[in-house]
Amino acid sequence: MRLLSSPTSPFARKVRMLIMELNLASSIEILDTNPLGDASELRQLNPLGKVPTLLLDNGAPIIDSPVICDHLILQTTRYDLLPKKGIGRDQILYSQALGDGICDAAFSIVMELRRPSQQQSPLWLERWEAAILRSIAAIPAPLVSGQPTNLGDIAIAVALSYVDFRIADLDWRSDNTPLAIWHHTANQWPSMVATAPVST
Ligand SMILES: N[C@@H](CCC(=O)N[C@@H](CS)C(=O)NCC(=O)O)C(=O)O
């Protein structure tokens, strides 16, 4: 299998972390791809032109990080990370959606701030920032911090690190101390350390 990925994409990071947690690193080749550059192979596989995109050995693409994660967990039967059904599954998918939504809003802020200042929308910048802070406040408190216990933990850890990486001056910690303590430990998980983004 091949994963079209980017070193700074939080969605790709979530999948790369899961690959490590599932011990699949030797069977998935990671291909660095810049979705904002000349990404013709990416667009052929994924008309949305987004990373991550997983290419199966049979040539079929799988797009959208939650779908990729679900596929990999099903293949490895690691249902502790995402059960096949039940309330536990719903809660984990809620956390994942919250984490991914935080990343969507943070990515939008990054892109908006790259536009000429006179074209930037203060209204949208404020809406995205407010959505990030509201969502962080709504994150269900993770109980275990020694290792990621499920896909939701991975998504939340990645999202908080992406906010730190791209919107470093946003103070989300003051009002969310237990989460900040949990995130400090999560930052030391081997799969977090190995996938940490480098500024571009
Ligand atoms: N819902 C998608 C979001 C993926 C996404 O937005 N990826 C960004 C990079 S962080 C991207 O490739 N953007 C390229 C573009 O929007 O043209 C997922 O979870 O995989």
Side-chain angles (χ1 to χ4, degrees):
M1 288 182 277
R2 300 161 79 197
L3 182 76
L4 281 71
S5 174
S6 130
T8 55
S9 163
F11 307 99
R13 185 181 190 188
K14 180 182 59 171
V15 174
R16 287 188 294 127
M17 283 182 65
L18 183 67
I19 287 171
M20 281 188 71
E21 299 295 338
L22 297 174
N23 291 318
L24 284 175
S26 59
S27 44
I28 302 182
E29 185 186 358
I30 309 284
L31 296 172
D32 281 349
T33 306
N34 177 3
L36 303 178
D38 174 22
S40 49
E41 187 192 3
L42 176 63
R43 288 185 201 131
Q44 269 175 13
L45 296 171
N46 178 351
L48 297 171
K50 294 190 180 203
V51 292
T53 292
L54 181 70
L55 182 60
L56 299 184
D57 291 337
N58 66 8
I62 301 197
I63 64 172
D64 208 32
S65 63
V67 183
I68 296 172
C69 291
D70 192 42
H71 174 86
L72 295 177
I73 288 169
L74 275 173
Q75 293 306 307
T76 49
T77 65
R78 281 288 303 278
Y79 302 124
D80 53 317
L81 295 175
L82 181 65
K84 281 201 280 190
K85 60 181 180 181
I87 190 165
R89 176 182 173 87
D90 294 341
Q91 286 167 344
I92 291 168
L93 289 178
Y94 177 84
S95 291
Q96 178 179 223
L98 214 47
D100 287 0
I102 290 168
C103 294
D104 275 327
F107 184 69
S108 298
I109 290 176
V110 171
M111 290 297 115
E112 188 71 4
L113 291 176
R114 286 187 187 173
R115 303 173 74 210
S117 55
Q118 65 277 16
Q119 291 176 21
Q120 293 171 15
S121 164
L123 183 139
W124 276 106
L125 287 166
E126 272 169 37
R127 278 183 72 95
W128 289 320
E129 185 174 310
I132 290 172
L133 288 172
R134 257 196 331 269
S135 302
I136 289 177
I139 291 173
L143 296 175
V144 182
S145 52
Q147 59 183 25
T149 51
N150 58 55
L151 179 60
D153 286 0
I154 295 176
I156 295 296
V158 164
L160 295 173
S161 291
Y162 190 64
V163 170
D164 286 344
F165 176 59
R166 288 301 197 201
I167 319 174
D169 60 351
L170 187 68
D171 175 23
W172 59 266
R173 286 181 171 77
S174 297
D175 292 334
N176 301 283
T177 306
L179 189 66
I181 293 169
W182 174 83
H183 182 246
H184 179 74
T185 311
N187 256 332
Q188 294 156 37
W189 296 339
S191 55
M192 280 288 276
V193 172
T195 57
V198 180
S199 259
T200 53

